Amino acid sequence: MSELIKIHLSEDEIPRQWYNLAADFEKPMPPPVDPEGNPIGPDALAPVFPMNLIEQEMSQERWIDIPEEVLGILKIWRPTPLYRARRLEEALGTPAKIYYKNEGVSPPGSHKPNTAVAQAYFNREFGITRLTTETGAGQWGSALSFACKLIGIQCKVFMVRISFDQKPFRKMMMRVWGGECVPSPNMDTQVGRSILEKDPDTPGSLGIAISEALEEAVPDPKARYSLGSVLNHVMLHQTIIGLEAQKQMEKLGENPDVIIGCAGGGSNFAGLSFPFICDKIHGKDIRIVATEPAACPTLTKAKYRYDSGDVAMMTPLLPMHSLGHTYVPPPIHAGGLRYHGMAPMVSHAMNEGLIEAEAIHQLECYEGALQWAHTEGFIPAPETSHAIAQAIREARRAKEEGKERVILMNWSGHGLMDLTAYEAYLNGELSDHDLPDEMLERYAASMDGLPMP
Amino acid sequence: MSELIKIHLSEDEIPRQWYNLAADFEKPMPPPVDPEGNPIGPDALAPVFPMNLIEQEMSQERWIDIPEEVLGILKIWRPTPLYRARRLEEALGTPAKIYYKNEGVSPPGSHKPNTAVAQAYFNREFGITRLTTETGAGQWGSALSFACKLIGIQCKVFMVRISFDQKPFRKMMMRVWGGECVPSPNMDTQVGRSILEKDPDTPGSLGIAISEALEEAVPDPKARYSLGSVLNHVMLHQTIIGLEAQKQMEKLGENPDVIIGCAGGGSNFAGLSFPFICDKIHGKDIRIVATEPAACPTLTKAKYRYDSGDVAMMTPLLPMHSLGHTYVPPPIHAGGLRYHGMAPMVSHAMNEGLIEAEAIHQLECYEGALQWAHTEGFIPAPETSHAIAQAIREARRAKEEGKERVILMNWSGHGLMDLTAYEAYLNGELSDHDLPDEMLERYAASMDGLPMP
């Protein structure tokens, strides 16, 4: 085992610009629209986001500077190390090389703070003193609380009540970083009050939490709303992952044949893959695979439509692969992948044939996650286990085909806050979820009557 | 913030030998003895530890080779980064520079696997197929489970029942790595059965758990017992921390004026400080400070005595500062520092005037830990917060004295599994614990009649 296991970049080598894939799409992306199909302009988004982020959201510039202060905070954990999973390769007996980018080294433990820090910064620069957001299991809420504390603004997180009650640790993490975390629905908002009056014991949902976070932010001129995935500027901020990985692969003299990321809203997948999609557009032979849960098959089974980002249809309509904004995924533990839609930029890349997608059931993912923990050591998040299962599939194919393939995956976060999920798996309490076509069609019907991209 | 925040060594620069401070003590350490005061020879330890580790335990060699296979596993997270805490310095307005060695980047999240991997390896090389150990809150049990899985032997952990019931996450972590974790006392052992017969609802104790782990290992020729702190070979394995830090400080062109580590059993403190104690013995002007909880003031208030490592007096008598083997510390959350004794090597260094010690109450530690999370980002373990509080004290002294002092501390682990402790602190539920002298005297009386070093 004297060969290299990981490679670090020095802080001086951190990328100083984000990469905007929108500049390289051959066919431009359709714009967000209102329910009548009219394109949404920047002003319509101004009550929700600061104008500097709206500009990024709509930008066609290929490169966008990362502010020095943002870089200073990112350097707490970036550049992140690129690892070679030698022990896993050996266990699989594969001729493939498996590299992974370890985004679990950030203080909140995932890739999420890459955009949280940027968003907190641009809001503060715009004069905003308070951000609101929603969170499911708490990964995003803790990342934004962390970012707001270091940037020096306030943060209020509406956390889906069932997670608030059952998963208290992310909530405590938010509190350590000074974030205010309240259960959603909540009596603080009109939306919350009306839901609680009808159903005091509701478990809540991401859709409700988004509505509450929006309701709290919009009337306050010093507050804005923040989203941890889906939007173009979020994808943009995550590209620092792939830009670093390109430098690291270059230092190793390696050309990846396959790029893998798990995909829920799309941000960690985009973060690693977009710079490599740029390479692909410019002629490199490279497969780029988004892996999603079979229980939430947005790219593999859902139509490309205009759909709302939330269940209450408070957001503009976005062009995306969507299972329908009323879709309620089966209760898989990979909470970060349980989203009905897919980021418009990722969806567009899919339509343009730049990426492909596979869906994997959760038992295969947990099996892969355990094999990972037993060979590579680190315990992956349930979301990350989807990328791992995909990498194992690719490594086995390489073995069957006798090809020395170079695989690069995004290890999006650690699973130290998700140990109850492993416990359930080891107890044999988890199962795979079959999705009858009629069920998917029923949910898709919620998009009937919406404009088409 | 364009200045350097952290420095990595490449994997090639990992130290290839451990440093043994025993070789450099001017006055030799007293040997372990039996209750009659007769020195214990290697053979007496053979039922408990494999002979290759017993040799390390008694070695006077200055440098001991780290096996290639151990290095291969350590490289999963080592060399660990050395950080400069610039944001904390700024918040304190101190002219001091605060550097810290981040041991929280290991898969189990602390410095513990540095010795766990080595112990699992040497046991397997000696033909052992199963290790037993005890654990309190679970930090050590999870590190040993991790190490045994990667080395390829079995691991059984007796976890103090109250922690087993109240802190399930470390237990789940052990299970993910294939460790068998059972509550202690347990019906599997004679010691456990006899205690449970008398008191079925006992919360258990580390003393009981050690007795059970020993009882299970000793009669099985293929099993041995493993300890995560206190012993000489554990200190030895941890010196890789300080050896790396020396290289990193040299690259930065810095000479540390003050070295800080928190101290419970002594292993993380020893790990960072012993190579610098070597420098001090050879003439360098350097202060080396062990920081302990005021609730467990082993170095600051306890006598240097022969005492047993466990409450049931099953271990040999070790020469150490000890509060008495019956000592039950107040319920502070820094579980890893709640030990009645201090490693013989650390105790000897104290007696020889090579190190000094301070005791800090827990509220000051949590205050420091929060200031850390709000500036440096990472959430420290409650144990680590003692080193942080000490570093803050030293930085403030430097400010008062107008001295640009270089402080180096061991950031022994993250606090992601300890968030309930932060919650209790933020809820105002924690308090400091005063220890009346008469109470300490009462516990110290348990050592009456034992031989003196």
Side-chain angles (χ1 to χ4, degrees):
Chain A
M1 295 301 299
S2 65
E3 309 98 337
L4 187 89
I5 294 177
K6 60 189 178 309
I7 179 169
H8 282 280
L9 298 175
S10 76
E11 287 182 8
D12 296 341
E13 295 172 289
I14 197 168
R16 309 191 79 83
Q17 296 181 307
W18 291 300
Y19 167 66
N20 184 6
L21 177 58
D24 284 308
F25 278 135
E26 199 176 334
K27 184 177 149 190
M29 289 169 62
V33 299
D34 66 20
E36 282 72 47
N38 304 311
I40 295 274
D43 291 345
L45 296 173
V48 180
F49 302 111
M51 196 50 75
N52 46 15
L53 284 179
I54 295 171
E55 282 164 13
Q56 290 182 6
E57 183 67 18
M58 304 196 157
S59 172
Q60 298 294 314
E61 292 294 318
R62 183 169 288 107
W63 297 101
I64 294 176
D65 289 345
I66 309 177
E68 279 301 315
E69 186 177 343
V70 172
L71 282 173
I73 296 176
L74 295 182
K75 283 179 187 172
I76 292 174
W77 72 97
R78 303 207 73 87
T80 62
L82 182 86
Y83 276 75
R84 179 156 170 207
R86 288 186 186 271
R87 290 167 191 280
L88 177 63
E89 291 171 15
E90 207 174 301
L92 296 171
T94 179
K97 297 180 189 172
I98 304 173
Y99 289 95
Y100 68 99
K101 186 76 170 152
N102 187 348
E103 291 293 306
V105 297
S106 73
S110 80
H111 67 291
K112 290 285 184 193
N114 293 333
T115 184
V117 172
Q119 290 191 45
Y121 170 84
F122 284 110
N123 272 281
R124 194 200 63 198
E125 289 302 287
F126 193 68
I128 300 304
T129 58
R130 194 164 69 97
L131 281 178
T132 70
T133 197
E134 79 292 331
T135 201
Q139 187 68 262
W140 170 244
S142 53
L144 194 65
S145 297
F146 158 78
C148 285
K149 173 53 75 177
L150 268 73
I151 286 290
I153 62 176
Q154 291 176 288
C155 180
K156 181 166 179 177
V157 181
F158 290 87
M159 185 172 188
V160 176
R161 179 178 286 272
I162 189 167
S163 295
F164 187 90
D165 291 338
Q166 294 181 354
K167 299 185 174 178
F169 294 98
R170 285 272 171 202
K171 176 177 69 187
M172 294 178 194
M173 203 190 268
M174 294 179 223
R175 194 172 170 202
V176 167
W177 282 314
E180 181 188 358
C181 177
V182 298
S184 164
N186 197 281
M187 295 299 283
D188 285 1
T189 69
Q190 205 173 328
V191 172
R193 283 190 296 274
S194 77
I195 291 168
L196 286 170
E197 271 165 29
K198 284 177 211 149
D199 181 5
D201 297 323
T202 175
S205 74
L206 267 179
I208 296 169
I210 294 178
S211 304
E212 291 196 277
L214 282 166
E215 182 189 322
E216 174 131 344
V218 168
D220 179 351
K222 289 290 193 187
R224 288 295 184 279
Y225 167 74
S226 171
L227 192 62
S229 190
V230 179
L231 299 177
N232 302 344
H233 66 273
V234 179
M235 307 296 125
L236 178 76
H237 300 155
Q238 294 292 357
T239 58
I240 193 167
I241 302 171
L243 294 167
E244 286 178 6
Q246 283 181 324
K247 289 191 189 187
Q248 287 162 318
M249 292 299 272
E250 201 178 318
K251 286 197 180 203
L252 293 167
E254 294 280 23
N255 273 309
D257 300 300
V258 190
I259 306 284
I260 296 168
C262 62
S267 79
N268 98 77
F269 169 74
L272 177 66
S273 69
F274 280 10
F276 291 97
I277 293 182
C278 177
D279 290 346
K280 181 168 182 160
I281 290 172
H282 293 93
K284 271 208 181 164
D285 181 21
I286 187 166
R287 281 178 59 226
I288 297 170
V289 187
T291 305
E292 54 189 18
C296 201
T298 321
L299 284 172
T300 49
K301 291 206 172 172
K303 292 172 186 148
Y304 183 66
R305 293 288 306 266
Y306 268 120
D307 196 12
S308 169
D310 68 316
V311 70
M313 301 196 67
M314 292 178 74
T315 71
L317 298 177
L318 302 171
M320 57 185 181
H321 287 268
S322 176
L323 294 156
H325 53 271
T326 60
Y327 185 68
V328 180
I332 59 165
H333 276 276
L337 304 182
R338 298 178 71 238
Y339 186 68
H340 68 276
M342 180 55 66
M345 292 184 85
V346 175
S347 294
H348 195 69
M350 183 80 180
N351 295 345
E352 295 294 288
L354 297 167
I355 66 171
E356 55 195 273
E358 283 191 37
I360 305 190
H361 280 293
Q362 71 175 351
L363 294 185
E364 182 180 339
C365 295
Y366 279 103
E367 193 187 335
L370 273 191
Q371 188 169 22
W372 187 276
H374 292 176
T375 52
E376 295 299 308
F378 293 105
I379 300 175
E383 292 81 3
T384 309
S385 74
H386 290 72
I388 290 169
Q390 186 72 47
I392 291 173
R393 281 186 177 187
E394 300 290 346
R396 290 198 171 123
R397 278 175 208 155
K399 186 179 181 180
E400 283 160 22
E401 297 166 17
K403 295 264 168 73
E404 198 202 80
R405 215 159 263 154
V406 176
I407 298 167
L408 170 62
M409 58 167 268
N410 200 7
W411 203 87
S412 55
H414 66 65
L416 298 188
M417 315 305 288
D418 306 279
L419 291 167
T420 47
Y422 282 92
E423 183 84 347
Y425 171 72
L426 289 166
N427 288 342
E429 292 163 9
L430 300 187
S431 56
D432 289 335
H433 298 273
D434 283 323
L435 302 177
D437 284 350
E438 54 177 28
M439 178 186 132
L440 292 177
E441 280 160 25
R442 200 167 61 243
Y443 282 115
S446 68
M447 296 181 286
D448 287 352
L450 296 181
M452 296 292 288
Chain B
M1 295 302 299
S2 64
E3 309 99 335
L4 187 89
I5 293 177
K6 60 189 177 311
I7 180 170
H8 283 280
L9 298 175
S10 77
E11 287 182 7
D12 296 340
E13 295 172 288
I14 198 169
R16 308 190 80 82
Q17 296 181 307
W18 291 299
Y19 166 66
N20 184 5
L21 177 58
D24 282 308
F25 279 134
E26 198 176 336
K27 184 177 150 191
M29 289 171 63
V33 298
D34 66 19
E36 282 71 49
N38 305 310
I40 296 273
D43 291 345
L45 296 172
V48 180
F49 302 110
M51 196 50 74
N52 46 16
L53 284 179
I54 294 171
E55 282 164 13
Q56 289 182 7
E57 182 69 18
M58 303 196 159
S59 172
Q60 298 293 315
E61 291 295 317
R62 183 170 286 110
W63 297 101
I64 294 177
D65 288 345
I66 308 177
E68 279 301 314
E69 187 178 343
V70 172
L71 282 173
I73 296 177
L74 296 181
K75 283 179 187 172
I76 291 174
W77 72 98
R78 307 207 70 88
T80 62
L82 182 87
Y83 277 75
R84 177 155 170 207
R86 287 187 186 271
R87 289 167 192 281
L88 177 63
E89 291 170 15
E90 207 174 301
L92 296 170
T94 179
K97 297 180 188 172
I98 304 173
Y99 289 96
Y100 68 100
K101 187 76 170 152
N102 186 348
E103 292 292 306
V105 297
S106 74
S110 80
H111 67 291
K112 289 285 184 193
N114 293 332
T115 185
V117 172
Q119 289 190 46
Y121 170 84
F122 284 110
N123 272 281
R124 193 201 64 199
E125 289 303 288
F126 192 69
I128 300 304
T129 59
R130 195 163 68 97
L131 281 178
T132 70
T133 196
E134 78 293 332
T135 200
Q139 188 67 264
W140 170 243
S142 53
L144 194 65
S145 297
F146 158 79
C148 286
K149 174 53 77 178
L150 268 74
I151 286 291
I153 61 175
Q154 291 177 289
C155 180
K156 180 165 179 178
V157 181
F158 289 86
M159 185 171 186
V160 176
R161 180 178 287 272
I162 189 168
S163 295
F164 186 91
D165 292 337
Q166 294 181 354
K167 299 186 174 178
F169 293 98
R170 285 271 170 202
K171 175 177 70 188
M172 295 178 193
M173 202 190 267
M174 293 178 223
R175 196 172 170 200
V176 167
W177 281 315
E180 181 189 359
C181 176
V182 299
S184 163
N186 197 281
M187 294 300 282
D188 283 2
T189 67
Q190 204 174 328
V191 172
R193 284 191 295 273
S194 77
I195 290 169
L196 285 170
E197 272 165 29
K198 283 179 213 151
D199 180 6
D201 297 324
T202 175
S205 74
L206 267 179
I208 296 169
I210 294 177
S211 303
E212 291 196 277
L214 282 166
E215 181 188 323
E216 175 131 343
V218 169
D220 179 351
K222 288 290 192 186
R224 289 293 185 280
Y225 167 74
S226 170
L227 191 63
S229 191
V230 180
L231 298 178
N232 301 345
H233 66 273
V234 180
M235 306 297 124
L236 177 77
H237 300 156
Q238 293 292 357
T239 58
I240 194 168
I241 302 171
L243 295 168
E244 286 178 7
Q246 283 181 325
K247 289 191 190 187
Q248 287 162 317
M249 293 299 273
E250 200 178 319
K251 285 198 180 202
L252 293 167
E254 294 280 22
N255 273 308
D257 300 300
V258 189
I259 305 284
I260 296 168
C262 63
S267 80
N268 98 77
F269 169 75
L272 177 65
S273 70
F274 280 10
F276 290 97
I277 292 181
C278 177
D279 290 347
K280 182 169 180 159
I281 290 172
H282 294 92
K284 269 209 182 165
D285 181 21
I286 188 167
R287 281 179 58 226
I288 296 170
V289 186
T291 306
E292 56 188 16
C296 201
T298 319
L299 285 171
T300 49
K301 290 206 173 173
K303 290 171 189 150
Y304 183 65
R305 294 287 304 266
Y306 269 120
D307 195 15
S308 169
D310 69 314
V311 70
M313 302 196 67
M314 292 178 72
T315 72
L317 298 178
L318 302 170
M320 57 186 181
H321 287 267
S322 176
L323 294 156
H325 53 270
T326 59
Y327 185 68
V328 180
I332 59 166
H333 276 275
L337 306 182
R338 298 178 71 237
Y339 186 68
H340 69 275
M342 179 57 65
M345 291 184 86
V346 174
S347 294
H348 195 69
M350 183 80 180
N351 295 345
E352 295 294 287
L354 296 167
I355 66 170
E356 54 194 274
E358 284 192 35
I360 305 191
H361 279 293
Q362 72 174 350
L363 294 184
E364 182 180 340
C365 295
Y366 278 103
E367 192 187 336
L370 273 190
Q371 187 168 22
W372 188 276
H374 293 178
T375 52
E376 295 299 309
F378 293 105
I379 300 175
E383 292 81 3
T384 310
S385 74
H386 290 73
I388 290 169
Q390 185 74 46
I392 291 173
R393 282 186 177 186
E394 300 289 346
R396 289 199 172 124
R397 278 174 209 156
K399 185 179 180 181
E400 283 160 21
E401 297 166 16
K403 294 261 168 75
E404 198 200 80
R405 215 160 264 155
V406 177
I407 299 166
L408 171 61
M409 58 167 267
N410 200 7
W411 204 86
S412 55
H414 66 63
L416 297 187
M417 315 305 287
D418 306 280
L419 291 166
T420 47
Y422 281 93
E423 183 84 347
Y425 171 72
L426 289 166
N427 288 343
E429 291 162 11
L430 300 187
S431 56
D432 289 335
H433 298 274
D434 283 322
L435 302 178
D437 283 350
E438 53 178 27
M439 178 186 132
L440 292 177
E441 280 161 25
R442 201 168 58 242
Y443 282 113
S446 67
M447 296 181 285
D448 287 352
L450 296 180
M452 295 294 290

